[in-house]
Amino acid sequence: MSMTAEPIVEAVGLTVDFASAKGPIRAVSGVDLSLKPGETLALLGESGSGKSVSLRALMRLHPSSAKIGGSVRVDGRDVLAMSARELSAYRGKIVSMIFQDPGLAFDPVYRIGDQIAEAVMRHERVSRAEARKRALELFERVRIPSPERRLDNYPHEMSGGMRQRAMIALALACRPKVLLADEPTTALDATVQIQVLLLLRELQREFGLAIVFVTHDVGVAVEIADRIAVMYAGRIVESGPCADVIRNAAHPYTRGLLSSRSHGALGKDERLKAIPGSPPDLAAPPPGCAFGPRCESFAEVCGSAMPDNVVVSSSHIARCVRLAIRNSSQPGG
Ligand SMILES: Nc1ncnc2c1ncn2[C@@H]1O[C@H](COP(=O)(O)OP(=O)(O)OP(=O)(O)O)[C@@H](O)[C@H]1O
Ligand SMILES: [Mg+2]
């Protein structure tokens, strides 16, 4: 990874609004993301924090009723200004996604190899035979046994782990520059999970892919990421280099996540679940800090002031009102 490269993904002030039965909800609220080629960002957070919605926004994959705001630039293009035609050239080719729900990736009625070949032919002027050859190479790369025969499988004929590999093959079929991986290993057992993570790392080195990797699992994040962003109630509440965030977590939510994990090895279900209370109702968020009602360090000011980003150290930032107060009371701070 080159430290001087320009970001390939740059989202600034990203917002996603939905209409819900209880009124409008802001599922993603002022998210900033920046990613260089070859870099991996892990997006961490509890269920409902806005991880999948953020990723889909980077691909403009939302129902038309949703409103996306802010700015998203990928590979020099303004994604939010793209026409339908530009979008279909962009999706799969520049940015590709491994979906959280494997059911969404493949059409049950077509053979998997044909679906991968179709994806290649949609973006490149290649013959069916060449596209098929690409699909076969990808199956070999993701180490699907008997790849030639497996290309003719229908989705239901593959096991979960095998389908996950096929999904990675599909996502990489058009040699994208950015891979959005939404919990690509959650459904797998521990051994397969590690194999898939190692595989992604290998492919990343080979292709210089930038990866956004969504996970609930701190162990997985540590294993794969250069940087970590922690989401809570639609906001990134802390982000920075992986080691800094893990060793020197500044936000009480991040600290809660880290202390709540079990201490098993990678893949031994280091799930994030033990912070008491539950995330806010996005249709009626609490005033001030959204984490306030669950925060161990809650102070009166947290119930009224909206936390801003506070610099912890160079590229490590956290959104916490008390942190801001502490910093400003330090001499020279
Ligand atoms: N199409 C939609 N219409 C209305 N609300 C939605 C829609 N999609 C998502 N949401 C809401 O947006 C919020 C964030 O959802 P999102 O799927 O991004 O969570 P997540 O962090 O990916 O959670 P998980 O870890 O469970 O996958 C949730 O409150 C969800 O109910
Ligand atoms: Mg999700």
Side-chain angles (χ1 to χ4, degrees):
M1 175 185 73
S2 159
M3 298 311 290
T4 53
E6 288 297 305
I8 179 134
V9 177
E10 187 128 63
V12 180
L14 181 66
T15 58
V16 181
D17 296 300
F18 294 110
S20 82
K22 288 192 280 178
I25 63 165
R26 176 153 284 187
V28 173
S29 196
V31 159
D32 299 333
L33 286 178
S34 173
L35 199 65
K36 290 176 180 174
E39 202 173 32
T40 301
L41 172 74
L43 207 51
L44 205 65
E46 283 169 305
S47 191
S49 55
K51 305 181 298 294
S52 297
V53 172
S54 299
L55 289 203
R56 287 203 298 271
L58 298 180
M59 287 189 91
R60 290 244 324 256
L61 286 174
H62 277 296
S64 52
S65 57
K67 262 183 53 197
I68 308 180
S71 87
V72 178
R73 294 193 70 83
V74 177
D75 198 28
R77 299 164 169 87
D78 180 349
V79 176
L80 301 190
M82 283 181 182
S83 65
R85 203 192 159 130
E86 288 168 322
L87 274 176
S88 60
Y90 165 75
R91 294 180 185 142
K93 181 70 188 161
I94 306 297
V95 175
S96 189
M97 185 152 171
I98 303 175
F99 290 94
Q100 186 169 14
D101 176 0
L104 290 176
F106 291 109
D107 190 322
V109 303
Y110 296 104
R111 296 177 199 275
I112 284 189
D114 290 341
Q115 296 189 50
I116 295 177
E118 284 296 333
V120 175
M121 289 162 71
R122 208 174 301 138
H123 289 289
E124 294 171 37
R125 291 172 182 280
V126 294
S127 66
R128 180 162 293 278
E130 284 173 88
R132 168 98 181 175
K133 190 162 155 269
R134 173 90 60 89
L136 178 62
E137 281 164 16
L138 285 159
F139 266 32
E140 284 164 355
R141 291 296 291 116
V142 300
R143 298 201 196 92
I144 290 178
S146 325
E148 181 83 57
R149 190 169 56 78
R150 285 292 184 179
L151 282 176
D152 290 327
N153 275 178
Y154 290 94
H156 71 269
E157 294 177 303
M158 286 188 167
S159 68
M162 198 78 81
R163 208 159 41 226
Q164 205 87 29
R165 283 160 194 258
M167 206 153 61
I168 294 172
L170 175 66
L172 297 176
C174 300
R175 299 173 177 148
K177 298 181 175 181
V178 180
L179 179 66
L180 307 176
D182 198 350
E183 308 211 33
T185 60
T186 308
L188 307 175
D189 66 49
T191 347
V192 185
Q193 198 179 111
I194 290 165
Q195 285 172 4
V196 171
L197 289 178
L198 292 173
L199 175 68
L200 275 178
R201 273 220 300 238
E202 193 182 304
L203 296 169
Q204 173 172 49
R205 268 198 295 273
E206 194 169 323
F207 297 110
L209 268 178
I211 301 181
V212 183
F213 194 99
V214 169
T215 180
H216 285 88
D217 192 322
V218 179
V220 168
V222 168
E223 191 64 25
I224 196 156
D226 302 300
R227 285 187 302 127
I228 291 185
V230 180
M231 278 194 92
Y232 188 79
R235 286 196 166 79
I236 290 180
V237 295
E238 180 157 8
S239 69
C242 192
D244 293 14
V245 172
I246 298 292
R247 279 199 228 115
N248 190 22
H251 196 287
Y253 178 62
T254 313
R255 288 209 291 270
L257 286 184
L258 293 176
S259 65
S260 71
R261 74 187 172 130
S262 63
H263 291 279
L266 170 64
K268 293 254 177 70
D269 204 28
E270 291 193 25
R271 287 323 204 77
L272 314 171
K273 58 191 163 202
I275 299 178
S278 48
D281 177 0
L282 292 173
C289 176
F291 186 59
R294 297 169 78 186
C295 185
E296 277 186 355
S297 322
F298 183 82
E300 208 174 315
V301 60
C302 306
S304 54
M306 217 29 171
D308 224 333
N309 277 327
V310 177
V311 175
V312 182
S313 65
S314 60
S315 61
H316 180 186
I317 52 179
R319 272 181 195 272
C320 172
V321 175
R322 299 202 54 201
L323 203 60
I325 293 172
R326 207 185 320 143
N327 274 10
S328 66
S329 66
Q330 274 166 8

